[in-house]
Amino acid sequence: MIQSSARLLQLLSLLQLRREWTGPALAERMGVTERTVRRDIGKLRTLGYPIHASPGIAGGYQLGAGAQLPPLLLDDNEALAVALGLNSVAAGPVAGIGEASVRALAKLEQVLPARLRPRFATLKAAVTTLPSNAASVDPHQLTVVSAAIADRRLIRFDYAKPDGTTDRRTAEPYRLVDTGRRWYLVAWDLERGDWRTFRADRIASLPSATKKFVPRPLPAEDLAAYVQRSVTRSPYRYDVVVRLFAPIGEVAALVGPQLATLSDDGGSATLLHAGWDSLAQPAAHLASLGMEFEIISPPEFKEYAATLAERLARSAGVPAGAGATPQ
């Protein structure tokens, strides 16, 4: 019985290792007959593992997806990676996943081999994840969109605009990008005939997948970099452009790529492009950098900064116009 159970675990591990195996290849790898392989495949199926078999010389066995999640075999590094991933996801922006990840992590820690527990405890103690203040995303929506991307199917959904209104969108989905702060969908918008970067937290309805589409060339080879450039503009109410009077290396040390796009402006200055829904946010962030800067656009931000400067001066008891430095 022990030998049979060990053989089943070995067979399951092999099926998870490679997409497809022939019967003779499995038999040779395990040191058994093909008849034993077929019998063990049948046992795994009774345990709930969906193992598909294709006939013929070129056929073989393939581990598929089933209605229930059967046990998985993980090596040491895989187990540590999953545990650390669950630990960080608990503080992520996906709604409802935090509690589920904590439950899954508790189950995984319970069955971790004794040799791995000290390593995981050390890694867990050394890694701290700051909680996200971004709007939460429905995991069911991400699942539906991911399936549509894999199947190359159009999706229809309601999308919330910055002014609070919604409109119906039909799009070809190509990639979901997680910036750490928010999730974005890169898609071809059929009504507008152009590429769009949709904020996942603004998808106001469960997307519905429709007919298949023929993939078109992507707007960039690196979609993560494409999203990083896009999020400084279209998804937000205000497109802020500021000139910071400091070299780009100094600015980059304080402003992460998930927040803004930086470009060199003559060596001693840096142009910052960033998207914001509220003008109070860039004002506070720029003031915290401790650098001289010039607001280029939008005009609303210049007006807001002037009003804020007067308010701060009054709060400090400084007469109007006092202490102003000519430009």
Side-chain angles (χ1 to χ4, degrees), residues 67-116:
Q68 294 181 340
L69 182 65
L72 299 176
L73 291 179
L74 304 174
D75 62 26
D76 288 3
N77 289 334
E78 290 171 342
L80 287 174
V82 171
L84 286 173
L86 290 170
N87 191 54
S88 62
V89 165
V94 182
I97 292 297
E99 182 180 351
S101 65
V102 171
R103 293 198 307 268
L105 182 59
K107 294 178 182 178
L108 182 59
E109 287 185 288
Q110 187 176 9
V111 297
L112 275 179
R115 66 180 181 277
L116 293 183

Side-chain angles (χ1 to χ4, degrees), residues 94 97 137-150 176 206-207:
V94 182
I97 292 297
V137 181
D138 185 347
H140 193 190
Q141 289 181 339
L142 297 180
T143 302
V144 171
V145 173
S146 298
I149 292 173
L176 281 167
L206 186 65

Side-chain angles (χ1 to χ4, degrees), residues 302-318:
K302 292 184 178 181
E303 296 173 4
Y304 178 86
T307 302
L308 178 62
E310 293 177 1
R311 186 181 305 125
L312 291 174
R314 288 195 302 270
S315 67
V318 179

